Amino acid sequence: MSRFVRKSHFRHVFGQGAKKENTYFDIKLATYGDGNHLAASDKYIIHSTAGGGGPCSVMPYGKTGRIGMGAAKLNVHTSKVQDFAFSNFDSKVVATASEDCMVGVSVLPDDPSTFKGEPTSSLLLEGHQKKVDFVKWHPCAQGILGSASHDGVVKIWDVEESKEAKEFDVGGVATCLEFNSDGSLAATACSNKRSVIWDPRSDKAAFNFKQDFNNAKNIFHDNVGFFGVGGSKMGCHEYHLYDLKKLSEPITEFEVDDSAGMMLCNYDPDTKMLYIGCKGGSQIKYFELNSKGDMHKLSLHNIGTGIKGFYFLPKLMCEWKKCMIAKSLLLFRDKIQPVDFIVPRKSQLFAKDLYPAAYAGVPSLAGAEWLSGENKAPVTRSMDPKNQDATVGGVKIQTKADLIAENKELKEKIKALEAKVAELSK
């Protein structure tokens, strides 16, 4: 009897957790809100901690070991911080969402070891009427930030101009905030068990449909043509795939597990892999999606202890020599553990089949261009070490601060030239 085996490069992916000496242990953690409770870049790691105001512990990425009370604290808010997000284009710029109804944007030092608690600069964006639950940077446009609050309103901020650009009432308390791959659409799942999808520059919803989940999470699976909704339903976790052309019922319904904690999701568009865990759960399961709407279970990573949250780092940080396809940080009560997801291969050569061009972390258009209605695909970069500098798309964006600095430099040059002319004319 013949048996068909589905072809996949990722069938045998496994998670490899760091040993204790390579973890960030003895952290002082406080968890608020429904986010991941953790964010990171290639320079910094941030999480909430206890204390007056809204303190966040900030530590250098890669400096593992005992943290204790020695972690520097960023405190730009007057109440608890609910969520954080590092800029996609600048790994030292972090946005924070707080119960004080403010959205903070802080610029940290270039050298993480020099950060002692005072940011290089900070900005508070005022406008929400209730606590802010989520912040999310636009994937393609420079200086565009989204925030969702308990007042049922999602605001789009032009950070370069320090002002609100747009707002949209989603009709309920948001349990997530996501952009699609080019930022032309945003989505929230709401406490009224509905998901709303809209163009953030518009005043009308493109799609508003019922999905029957508690604390749902939304993900755009643009490269396979579906929209994902996951959450708790009837005492278990389920994940549904919808075709946006027909939202009356899901194309795929998949029962993930029988846990009841808040679902944690991460989608890797390069491998088409979906990672699912839950707060309080001790497993991370991963699945492979395809354009037919199939959701194939690959394997799982056993942790042994319940996690508080997780965060997946940019793909360009993966070590291709180890055939590493994802790099994550798992958050526990008193530690942060790096976990790498690896495809077992003996060859040390670059595996083209595992690494398509990855998100480059470079803006493809200016914030003003996007706000005017323009859309551009995200900039990608090859992970092949022989072709590391090759990027597809992208533009050189000058921020307001760059223009001010350039203007100041030009004025100094003009002043020096005028002095020289005056000296020669004597």
Side-chain angles (χ1 to χ4, degrees):
M1 180 178 177
S2 63
R3 185 178 176 183
F4 174 73
V5 178
R6 187 181 64 89
K7 183 179 178 181
S8 173
H9 298 305
F10 309 107
R11 183 184 304 281
H12 303 294
V13 170
F14 67 94
Q16 187 176 73
K19 295 180 180 179
K20 183 178 179 180
E21 59 268 24
N22 295 320
T23 65
Y24 308 82
F25 61 91
D26 193 22
I27 64 171
K28 308 303 178 185
L29 176 68
T31 55
Y32 311 112
D34 295 333
N36 288 329
H37 305 315
L38 177 74
S41 69
D42 61 355
K43 290 186 176 181
Y44 290 96
I45 298 174
I46 186 171
H47 65 80
S48 285
T49 190
C56 299
S57 285
V58 179
M59 62 197 81
Y61 176 80
K63 190 178 180 181
T64 55
R66 183 182 297 277
I67 304 301
M69 300 299 292
K73 292 180 175 60
L74 175 69
N75 200 343
V76 298
H77 293 281
T78 59
S79 190
K80 300 169 184 175
V81 173
Q82 304 267 98
D83 195 25
F84 343 82
F86 279 95
S87 168
N88 298 315
F89 314 128
D90 191 339
S91 56
K92 65 180 184 296
V93 177
V94 62
T96 46
S98 173
E99 288 186 356
D100 64 5
C101 307
M102 298 285 193
V103 175
V105 179
S106 301
V107 181
L108 307 179
D110 275 319
D111 182 359
S113 64
T114 64
F115 178 67
K116 306 301 179 186
E118 286 295 325
T120 304
S121 62
S122 62
L123 167 70
L124 288 176
L125 300 168
E126 182 179 355
H128 286 294
Q129 300 303 306
K130 291 188 177 180
K131 65 180 181 180
V132 186
D133 297 311
F134 299 98
V135 283
K136 188 81 174 181
W137 291 96
H138 192 282
C140 299
Q142 175 77 24
I144 300 296
L145 176 68
S147 62
S149 81
H150 240 61
D151 56 11
V153 171
V154 173
K155 290 184 181 291
I156 302 298
W157 305 92
D158 185 345
V159 176
E160 296 293 336
E161 297 295 331
S162 306
K163 67 179 184 180
E164 177 187 324
K166 289 286 183 180
E167 75 168 27
F168 184 79
D169 190 340
V170 296
V173 177
T175 56
C176 67
L177 174 62
E178 296 291 335
F179 286 104
N180 68 343
S181 59
D182 66 359
S184 60
L185 292 174
T188 61
C190 299
S191 55
N192 58 9
K193 298 186 177 182
R194 300 190 72 84
S195 284
V196 183
I197 305 172
W198 78 104
D199 184 334
R201 297 155 297 192
S202 171
D203 298 324
K204 293 183 180 180
F207 308 98
N208 187 330
F209 64 99
K210 191 171 181 61
Q211 29 80 357
D212 293 327
F213 282 121
N214 294 315
N215 297 319
K217 302 296 181 184
N218 292 339
I219 298 180
F220 287 96
H221 303 289
D222 292 340
N223 60 339
V224 292
F226 295 102
F227 180 75
V229 183
S232 301
K233 185 177 180 182
M234 301 294 290
C236 67
H237 284 145
E238 292 185 16
Y239 197 85
H240 295 179
L241 293 177
Y242 287 86
D243 184 343
L244 292 180
K245 296 176 183 176
K246 184 184 178 184
L247 291 168
S248 57
E249 57 182 4
I251 299 296
T252 300
E253 298 182 32
F254 197 95
E255 186 173 321
V256 179
D257 54 39
D258 56 0
S259 301
M262 173 76 73
M263 183 179 273
L264 300 166
C265 303
N266 181 77
Y267 179 62
D268 181 356
D270 298 335
T271 60
K272 300 177 184 176
M273 284 176 60
L274 174 67
Y275 299 83
I276 298 179
C278 72
K279 295 179 182 179
S282 59
Q283 293 180 337
I284 294 177
K285 298 181 179 180
Y286 31 100
F287 307 83
E288 188 174 2
L289 278 57
N290 64 26
S291 56
K292 297 179 181 178
D294 299 322
M295 205 171 147
H296 299 285
K297 184 178 178 180
L298 296 172
S299 188
L300 57 85
H301 174 64
N302 276 310
I303 305 161
T305 307
I307 61 173
K308 297 287 187 179
F310 66 32
Y311 188 83
F312 280 73
L313 293 155
K315 178 59 71 72
L316 291 177
M317 293 177 67
C318 291
E319 299 176 52
W320 63 266
K321 287 185 178 180
K322 295 181 179 179
C323 291
M324 187 189 300
I325 59 168
K327 198 173 186 66
S328 69
L329 297 172
L330 304 191
L331 180 65
F332 298 86
R333 180 180 60 84
D334 59 356
K335 70 176 181 180
I336 299 170
Q337 181 187 32
V339 174
D340 302 327
F341 291 91
I342 296 169
V343 176
R345 290 191 179 181
K346 293 181 179 179
S347 174
Q348 294 294 307
L349 299 175
F350 178 74
K352 292 181 180 180
D353 55 332
L354 300 183
Y355 298 108
Y359 182 74
V362 176
S364 53
L365 72 170
E369 292 175 320
W370 179 78
L371 288 169
S372 68
E374 191 173 347
N375 295 313
K376 285 186 180 179
V379 182
T380 59
R381 195 178 88 177
S382 172
M383 291 191 67
D384 188 338
K386 297 178 181 177
N387 200 21
Q388 280 282 306
D389 296 328
T391 58
V392 179
V395 293
K396 181 175 175 56
I397 304 293
Q398 281 190 299
T399 65
K400 187 176 181 180
D402 293 334
L403 292 171
I404 291 171
E406 186 180 340
N407 188 42
K408 184 178 178 181
E409 186 181 341
L410 289 171
K411 283 182 178 179
E412 288 174 354
K413 286 182 179 179
I414 290 169
K415 190 176 180 181
L417 289 170
E418 285 176 344
K420 194 172 181 180
V421 168
E423 186 179 343
L424 291 171
S425 61
K426 287 180 181 179

